[in-house]
Amino acid sequence: MPRFFMAGTNLAGGRAYIRGQDAEHVRVLRLRPGEDVVICDGAGKDYRCRIVSSLAGEVEAEVVEVVPCRGEPAADVTVYAGLPKGERADYLIQKCVEAGAKRIVFFECERCVARLDGRGVDKKLERFNRISQAAAEQSGRGIIPRVEYIHDYVEMLDSAVKAGACLFMYETGEDRSPLREAIEAAGDFSSISLITGPEGGFSPAEARLAKGAGAVLCSMGERIFRCETAPVVAVTAVMYARGEL
Amino acid sequence: MPRFFMAGTNLAGGRAYIRGQDAEHVRVLRLRPGEDVVICDGAGKDYRCRIVSSLAGEVEAEVVEVVPCRGEPAADVTVYAGLPKGERADYLIQKCVEAGAKRIVFFECERCVARLDGRGVDKKLERFNRISQAAAEQSGRGIIPRVEYIHDYVEMLDSAVKAGACLFMYETGEDRSPLREAIEAAGDFSSISLITGPEGGFSPAEARLAKGAGAVLCSMGERIFRCETAPVVAVTAVMYARGEL
């Protein structure tokens, strides 16, 4: 069934009013009166609605049923990812949203090739958040995961370690836990941060800083993941451990 | 360290001879005598070699050490995927190889949009296998996972159920096990088949056939994965369960 995200203000008295781009989307999908759509309020609730009328610019629908959105995982996972180049960032967002991340924070670090500055940040984030919304609609999520940007590495770490558990994926060094052990050792966390590097990985100094800040350095087995694959694998590991798969 | 796959015949008497495209690759990477490369025999062994001489078309290297390739997972996972359209297939191969699949078999089914026929198959498979090789080299695998194509759905099922466990990812229906439960119930399998659908998913008839053939119908939680994401998530789940992460 087609899904739309819509703020609660358009849901009143058992009626839903779909306007703007979403109304256009209804038209493109050739949905007609009598057909059903799901409107998600972006806060974890799904409104199953039946289309009553469909005019240019406004679709009116009747709310048939209100249910908690089942596609929304209970685990609260934030991905912190060293900003990758070009399409890799788009891909990372799409797949992490499908996999169940609740928030994606890009940051800059030593070996980042991609850089964001000034006005570029706002434009990029707008685009990134549109990708997140599309992926959330398509995969049946109950929220639209926010995509953010933290320029400063230390500020990023400060934010990441505030979660119940904070795991830092690091490709080298002796002093690492296997990811599975780290997830299991973290126990019954209510939220978790998963930090992954850019194309060139993290520098030893960055790993030391992360460890000093309280993150657990983790290995992901003996294979080397691309920077856009590692966060998807890490989120999936958490979802598996948490019974969401 | 740069990695190459090379048949054992070029590894003799403590010397390795890198020829053709790989020799060109050494030149592109500007590797010079005295520098190290890893040559993997594609059968799970890594030869650490030091370059002795580098001429156009042939690089000679001395074998320093022979070790089992650590990047090769013990779990024997084959992905059977309904052939998706265009770039999705490329992506599926790249990510499943990174995640640790040992073999990828595309097949045709009711809701496949993409079709392969006659000469098209060989050309496509050649390209698919090149993508697999590149991903295997990049992620440090010990083998190059083969990409194959089985036209017939029933033949595909016959092949898939020969593994120790055979899980069929299905988006709808009551009669499904959560993926995690199915993996755990499969116990100590030596090989596993993971079957995933094309863009439009499987038809109810196809799911019944799979069940009849002995596959376990599985849900992957409440989120809906794209056809190129589902196999990567499923392979990752098996790797997690098997202690490879």
Side-chain angles (χ1 to χ4, degrees), chain B residues 100-114:
Chain B
K102 287 219 195 286
R103 198 165 137 248
I104 296 161
V105 181
F106 288 114
F107 60 87
E108 208 166 283
C109 59
E110 256 181 76
R111 299 185 186 158
C112 274
V113 187

Side-chain angles (χ1 to χ4, degrees), chain B residues 8-196:
Chain B
T9 49
N10 289 327
L11 291 159
R15 296 268 148 167
Y17 299 92
I18 307 172
R19 299 193 180 95
Q21 274 200 326
D22 289 332
E24 179 60 17
H25 194 178
V26 168
R27 206 186 60 81
V28 169
L29 293 172
R30 296 171 190 273
L31 297 171
R32 307 206 175 275
E35 292 192 87
D36 287 359
V37 297
V38 173
I39 294 174
C40 180
D41 66 358
K45 251 187 225 144
D46 276 357
Y47 293 71
R48 194 158 64 80
C49 299
R50 187 152 303 150
I51 295 174
V52 175
S53 71
S54 170
L55 299 168
E58 184 175 285
V59 175
E60 189 182 339
E62 180 188 7
V63 177
V64 178
E65 192 184 19
V66 185
V67 291
C69 172
R70 297 189 311 166
E72 195 47 40
D76 181 358
V77 181
T78 299
V79 168
Y80 292 82
L83 183 70
K85 259 179 27 177
E87 283 194 347
R88 287 168 193 253
D90 303 356
Y91 164 82
L92 188 156
I93 297 164
Q94 187 186 73
K95 299 313 177 199
C96 284
V97 169
E98 281 182 73
K102 287 219 195 286
R103 198 165 137 248
I104 296 161
V105 181
F106 288 114
F107 60 87
E108 208 166 283
C109 59
E110 256 181 76
R111 299 185 186 158
C112 274
V113 187
R115 305 264 162 187
L116 283 184
D117 45 20
R119 277 184 52 199
V121 177
D122 294 342
K123 258 184 81 176
K124 259 275 167 42
L125 282 179
E126 213 182 292
R127 207 174 135 263
F128 285 168
N129 278 290
R130 277 204 304 275
I131 295 171
S132 173
Q133 171 158 356
E137 285 174 349
Q138 206 253 342
S139 60
R141 294 287 303 269
I143 64 159
I144 304 170
R146 274 193 59 72
V147 186
E148 299 167 26
Y149 180 67
I150 298 182
H151 178 78
D152 186 63
Y153 183 76
V154 172
E155 199 182 308
M156 178 281 291
L157 285 179
D158 279 348
S159 164
V161 295
K162 285 199 185 98
C166 178
L167 312 186
F168 183 93
M169 309 302 136
Y170 190 44
E171 280 180 8
T172 47
E174 296 304 307
D175 191 20
R176 300 175 299 157
S177 306
L179 177 59
R180 177 172 167 170
E181 275 177 29
I183 291 172
E184 288 173 357
D188 195 25
F189 51 81
S190 65
S191 61
I192 188 167
S193 300
L194 302 170
I195 311 179
T196 61

Side-chain angles (χ1 to χ4, degrees), chain A residues 70-71 91 94-95 98-99 138-139 141 180 220-226 228-229 237 240-241 244-245, chain B residues 70-71 91 94-95 98-99 138-139 141 180 220-226 228-229 237 240-241 245:
Chain A
R70 295 189 310 166
Y91 164 82
Q94 187 188 71
K95 300 312 177 199
E98 282 183 71
Q138 207 255 341
S139 60
R141 294 287 303 269
R180 177 171 167 171
M220 300 180 77
E222 297 296 341
R223 288 176 304 295
I224 311 227
F225 293 103
R226 281 171 195 259
E228 75 275 21
T229 316
Y240 187 87
E244 303 271 3
L245 275 175
Chain B
R70 297 189 311 166
Y91 164 82
Q94 187 186 73
K95 299 313 177 199
E98 281 182 73
Q138 206 253 342
S139 60
R141 294 287 303 269
R180 177 172 167 170
M220 301 181 76
E222 297 296 340
R223 289 176 304 294
I224 312 231
F225 293 103
R226 282 170 193 261
E228 77 274 22
T229 316
Y240 186 88
L245 276 175

Side-chain angles (χ1 to χ4, degrees), chain A residues 26-85:
Chain A
V26 168
R27 205 186 60 80
V28 169
L29 292 173
R30 296 170 188 274
L31 297 170
R32 307 203 176 277
E35 293 192 87
D36 287 1
V37 296
V38 173
I39 293 173
C40 179
D41 65 358
K45 253 188 223 142
D46 274 357
Y47 294 72
R48 192 158 66 78
C49 300
R50 188 152 300 151
I51 295 173
V52 175
S53 71
S54 170
L55 301 168
E58 184 174 286
V59 175
E60 190 181 338
E62 180 188 7
V63 177
V64 178
E65 193 185 18
V66 185
V67 291
C69 171
R70 295 189 310 166
E72 195 45 39
D76 181 357
V77 181
T78 300
V79 168
Y80 292 82
L83 183 70
K85 257 178 32 177

Side-chain angles (χ1 to χ4, degrees), chain A residues 77-85 88-93 96 101 103-114 116 125 128 146-153 156-157 159-160 167-169 193-202 206 226-232 234-235:
Chain A
V77 181
T78 300
V79 168
Y80 292 82
L83 183 70
K85 257 178 32 177
R88 288 169 191 252
D90 302 358
Y91 164 82
L92 187 157
I93 296 164
C96 285
R103 199 165 135 247
I104 296 161
V105 181
F106 287 114
F107 60 87
E108 208 166 286
C109 60
E110 254 181 78
R111 299 184 186 159
C112 274
V113 187
L116 283 184
L125 282 178
F128 285 167
R146 274 194 59 72
V147 186
E148 300 168 23
Y149 180 67
I150 298 182
H151 177 78
D152 185 64
Y153 183 77
M156 178 282 290
L157 284 179
S159 164
L167 310 187
F168 183 92
M169 309 304 138
S193 301
L194 301 171
I195 311 179
T196 62
E199 283 87 347
F202 289 114
E206 286 170 337
R226 281 171 195 259
C227 64
E228 75 275 21
T229 316
V232 185
V235 171

